Amino acid sequence: MDYLLQVKIGALVGLLLLTLFFGFIPARIKWFRDTNGTEIHRTVLSLISCFAGGVFLAACLLDIIPDYLSDIKAELEARKVETTFPLPEFIMAVGFFTVLILERIVLNCREMGGAQEERAPLIPGNRNGHGHGHGTTPDLENSGHHIHVDFQAHSPFRSFMLFLSLSLHSVFEGLAIGLQSTDSKVLEICIAILVHKSIIVFSLSVKLVQSAVRPLWVAAYIGVFALMSPIGIAIGISVMEAQLAAGALIQAILEGLAAGTFVYITFLEILPHELNSPGKQLLKVLFILLGFSIMAALTFLG
């Protein structure tokens, strides 16, 4: 086994272990799962979620979309494809509308089946008329206050699509390592991805924990997500050996679909949910900017 292959395998193992470690911090610590804590506790969780929103916004605008546009442009030029139609943007739109249509179909089927999950009260009442702990549970529907609640925010379907788009992008990050021909470049890219992916997987885990996804599924999502970059490295090593002619074009198209998916999740799920929730608006914006700025700095340095 040559030294370059050893470095790539070391990068594979390192990415796997570190992603699992940071991913299971929110998943295993009860503090992140507790939604009935004090006002300070709920505020801190909300700000962490806003930070994650900033991270995903930066990943979308500074990482996923630029990578895709660069790759698809290179492939179209290599194949001498010339058109005035914005094909790269159209592929992203296909990914966007695919998620939109699928989600609407899922929600429509649940409505036809009489599912009430999205309409359930934020604080369920007690049939016996006694509250859990102290006092009775207030009737939100009959109270005089109008409370805006996004019942579709953090739904299991959207959490799955977030996981899917990030996982697909992680495969391409792993490919970038597996396709390198020098050990120094492998280490350079690996360190950048390690830092970047640690923040991403932590943010993903926070979002999964805050959704209706069961703990066992959260663990499964994190486990599968941790495997994506190592799988990409393995595919990259295989492609280096096989020299597939259409491999780069297929990768670029898949990147475009993933980018469109990520645009949908970022701008129609993550950011609206946090910014539409009442209270601490300026502080929430500050934490979104903080998450974005950290990822932007890593992109600038990387």
Side-chain angles (χ1 to χ4, degrees):
M1 184 186 296
D2 62 3
Y3 181 68
L4 177 60
L5 186 57
Q6 291 178 2
V7 172
K8 289 182 179 180
I9 292 175
L12 185 154
V13 175
L15 274 172
L16 176 63
L17 296 179
L18 204 64
T19 304
L20 286 173
F21 174 75
F22 281 98
F24 279 114
I25 291 176
R28 298 299 300 170
I29 297 177
K30 185 179 179 181
W31 189 89
F32 288 95
R33 302 194 304 271
D34 186 10
T35 57
N36 297 316
T38 64
E39 181 65 27
I40 295 177
H41 176 265
R42 289 193 294 270
T43 299
V44 171
L45 279 180
S46 177
L47 294 178
I48 291 175
S49 186
C50 289
F51 176 85
V55 168
F56 289 130
L57 179 62
C60 179
L61 297 179
L62 305 180
D63 186 7
I64 295 177
I65 292 178
D67 283 355
Y68 157 65
L69 292 176
S70 174
D71 290 346
I72 193 70
K73 181 181 178 181
E75 286 305 306
L76 292 177
E77 288 178 352
R79 286 166 170 75
K80 295 181 171 56
V81 177
E82 296 182 3
T83 176
T84 57
F85 184 75
L87 185 59
E89 290 77 8
F90 178 78
I91 293 174
M92 283 179 55
V94 171
F96 180 94
F97 282 110
T98 299
V99 181
L100 176 62
I101 293 169
L102 285 175
E103 184 182 52
R104 294 303 106 181
I105 290 174
V106 169
L107 292 176
N108 186 63
C109 290
R110 295 173 100 177
E111 288 177 2
M112 291 177 63
Q116 299 297 317
E117 177 185 345
E118 308 296 350
R119 301 183 180 86
L122 192 62
I123 306 176
N126 192 299
R127 291 173 181 247
N128 296 326
H130 299 289
H132 180 72
H134 303 284
T136 58
T137 303
D139 187 349
L140 296 181
E141 292 293 330
N142 298 326
S143 67
H145 303 287
H146 174 72
I147 300 175
H148 174 76
V149 179
D150 183 5
F151 290 113
Q152 294 177 11
H154 298 321
S155 69
F157 177 80
R158 289 184 175 183
S159 297
F160 174 75
M161 295 311 300
L162 174 64
F163 154 79
L164 189 64
S165 58
L166 282 172
S167 296
L168 194 56
H169 183 64
S170 293
V171 173
F172 301 138
E173 287 181 330
L175 272 171
I177 296 176
L179 292 173
Q180 298 306 313
S181 56
T182 61
D183 56 276
S184 60
K185 194 65 177 176
V186 169
L187 289 173
E188 178 185 332
I189 297 176
C190 183
I191 291 172
I193 292 177
L194 278 172
V195 178
H196 166 267
K197 196 172 182 183
S198 298
I199 300 174
I200 288 286
V201 73
F202 182 88
S203 302
L204 172 64
S205 185
V206 168
K207 289 297 177 185
L208 290 173
V209 167
Q210 291 179 350
S211 71
V213 179
R214 295 179 180 179
L216 186 61
W217 280 105
V218 173
Y221 281 164
I222 298 302
V224 172
F225 180 72
L227 288 171
M228 291 298 104
S229 287
I231 288 174
I233 295 174
I235 293 174
I237 295 173
S238 301
V239 168
M240 289 281 285
E241 301 295 329
Q243 297 295 324
L244 295 176
L249 179 61
I250 294 172
Q251 174 189 334
I253 293 174
L254 290 176
E255 278 185 303
L257 296 175
T261 299
F262 206 75
V263 167
Y264 179 90
I265 296 298
T266 302
F267 291 99
L268 269 71
E269 197 272 322
I270 295 173
L271 294 179
H273 172 70
E274 298 305 333
L275 295 177
N276 288 339
S277 301
K280 304 288 192 302
Q281 291 297 315
L282 291 178
L283 199 56
K284 288 180 179 180
V285 172
L286 180 62
F287 269 78
I288 290 174
L289 285 172
L290 179 62
F292 182 91
S293 299
I294 289 176
M295 292 298 291
L298 290 175
T299 302
F300 180 77
L301 295 174

